[in-house]
Amino acid sequence: QPCGRPCRCPSQPLQCPAGTSHVLDTCGCCKVCARQLGELCSAREPCDHHKGLYCDHAKGHRGSGICLAHEGATCDLLGKIYHNGESFQPTCKLQCICMDGAIGCIPLCSDDLRLPSPECPSPRRVKLRNKCCEEWVCDEGAEGTRADAVLPVFKETPAQKPEGNDVQENCLVQTTAWSACSKSCGMGISARVTNDNPQCRLEKETRLCMVRPCDLPMEKTKKGKKCVRTPKRRRSLRFEFSGCTSSRSYRPKFCGSCTDGRCCTPYVTSTAEVEFRCPEGDFFQRKMMFIKMCSCHHDCPRDNDIFLATHRRRMVGDHV
């Protein structure tokens, strides 16, 4: 299809199904919803290259093709086989994809938390009929419950009733420690819950984390039972996330290994914003963990999978 100039793109924000990438059309003009495995594709509607799909014009007609996946391992979930690049929903709450033998999923339901507030003293999550995801409802409760429910969130003696812009001023900030990184090597995710926001509501906050690169040789420690940070690399590196690369390069510290077989994981960390730029020209920022100190312990992660990791060891502190 010929590419017209100048580019004329829709003014409305692009709305794509969950798990579908936003990609530039082949003309390099407009962002479109990437076509998925088995769907028709063209220059205006390219396949989702983030999932290893390509447009096979030999199987199409009249300038169109069909999105196919490159050679890759299939996935087995509860006895059902999925092809490489195939998207599927094992439940109404998850959207998953098979990527060369590994299964990745994103939640379709919000997992937000909610503390009592003056507007909603007794929040409850309930399952509504004919709806997959649970929703929050507010119960007034018995007399006296309202004041008791607000105490964990707001200061006991606020200057005035928390309304509008005064909510954050009277908020009793509560923040959990960051969770352990979801992967023992490579890029993973760490999370915590905090109400340090204008609404004083508990919300889940995430950051990227990398304990060590997967191709980093383990450096043995000296005699003793302490683990050491891997020395800074002589060459700086750029972080990669979802096919995008950090705008600047870094020389981060990573965790090494322990002499007695225990795990060496981050103990004291800091958090900083990292900007990523994508091949399509987009850029975004994500919070990322930077290691200051590591420690040895026996609570080792059972595997290196972001969806299956079971360990819940938390770091003692995070210094921003």
Side-chain angles (χ1 to χ4, degrees):
Q1 298 177 5
C3 297
R5 288 291 188 269
C7 296
R8 290 189 176 90
C9 302
S11 57
Q12 297 297 325
L14 194 61
Q15 299 292 333
C16 299
T20 300
S21 304
H22 296 188
V23 298
L24 280 174
D25 57 27
T26 311
C27 297
C29 271
C30 308
K31 282 294 183 70
V32 296
C33 298
R35 309 299 286 176
Q36 303 303 303
L37 186 69
E39 294 181 346
L40 293 177
C41 52
S42 65
R44 297 289 185 183
E45 298 177 317
C47 300
D48 199 336
H49 62 273
H50 295 121
K51 298 175 182 176
L53 304 181
Y54 69 97
C55 191
D56 189 343
H57 291 278
K59 297 183 181 298
H61 62 283
R62 295 184 180 179
S64 65
I66 296 179
C67 289
L68 298 179
H70 292 288
E71 289 292 331
T74 58
C75 301
D76 184 348
L77 181 63
L78 301 176
K80 189 169 183 179
I81 303 299
Y82 298 94
H83 297 288
N84 180 38
E86 183 177 357
S87 296
F88 58 96
Q89 279 188 247
T91 71
C92 64
K93 295 183 178 182
L94 288 175
Q95 177 72 42
C96 301
I97 182 173
C98 172
M99 297 186 70
D100 197 17
I103 296 176
C105 301
I106 59 172
L108 299 178
C109 297
S110 172
D111 60 350
D112 63 321
L113 300 174
R114 185 166 186 174
L115 269 183
S117 67
E119 296 77 22
C120 189
S122 302
R124 288 189 305 118
R125 281 193 97 161
V126 297
K127 179 73 172 67
L128 300 179
R129 188 177 180 182
N130 299 327
K131 287 194 175 182
C132 175
C133 303
E134 295 178 335
E135 295 185 7
W136 286 105
V137 296
C138 295
D139 293 336
E140 291 297 331
E143 186 177 350
T145 305
R146 183 184 183 92
D148 295 337
V150 174
L151 287 180
V153 187
F154 298 99
K155 297 174 183 177
E156 295 187 32
T157 55
Q160 53 187 343
K161 184 179 179 181
E163 292 181 354
N165 297 333
D166 299 321
V167 172
Q168 191 171 25
E169 181 182 345
N170 292 308
C171 182
L172 182 62
V173 175
Q174 302 173 83
T175 304
T176 66
W178 287 103
S179 67
C181 192
S182 60
K183 285 195 174 184
S184 57
C185 75
M187 191 70 78
I189 295 175
S190 177
R192 70 178 180 182
V193 175
T194 181
N195 66 338
D196 190 7
N197 52 63
Q199 294 76 34
C200 195
R201 283 185 55 183
L202 271 183
E203 294 179 346
K204 186 177 180 180
E205 185 180 25
T206 60
R207 65 176 180 177
L208 301 177
C209 53
M210 184 183 291
V211 178
R212 61 183 66 85
C214 291
D215 58 352
L216 186 71
M218 290 294 183
E219 183 169 304
K220 293 185 177 180
T221 60
K222 296 180 180 179
K223 189 175 182 180
K225 293 186 178 181
K226 293 182 179 180
C227 69
V228 296
R229 294 189 303 265
T230 303
K232 284 187 177 181
R233 287 188 167 186
R234 293 182 180 180
R235 292 183 179 180
S236 57
L237 60 84
R238 294 181 185 270
F239 296 114
E240 294 185 3
F241 176 66
S242 291
C244 305
T245 307
S246 61
S247 301
R248 53 162 291 197
S249 56
Y250 297 85
R251 292 182 62 198
K253 297 175 181 176
F254 299 116
C255 289
S257 57
C258 304
T259 56
D260 57 356
R262 292 186 294 171
C263 302
C264 186
T265 60
Y267 186 62
V268 179
T269 67
S270 64
T271 303
E273 292 278 354
V274 174
E275 183 183 80
F276 291 85
R277 292 192 174 273
C278 308
E280 291 87 0
D282 290 347
F283 64 91
F284 59 89
Q285 289 187 328
R286 288 287 186 275
K287 290 183 178 179
M288 184 156 183
M289 176 190 78
F290 287 88
I291 298 171
K292 291 182 175 293
M293 185 183 299
C294 302
S295 67
C296 288
H297 60 90
H298 290 289
D299 186 15
C300 303
R302 189 179 64 180
D303 45 49
N304 185 43
D305 188 275
I306 191 171
F307 301 105
L308 302 177
T310 56
H311 67 292
R312 292 291 182 269
R313 187 175 192 275
R314 282 172 160 73
M315 290 161 275
V316 297
D318 183 73
H319 301 270
V320 180

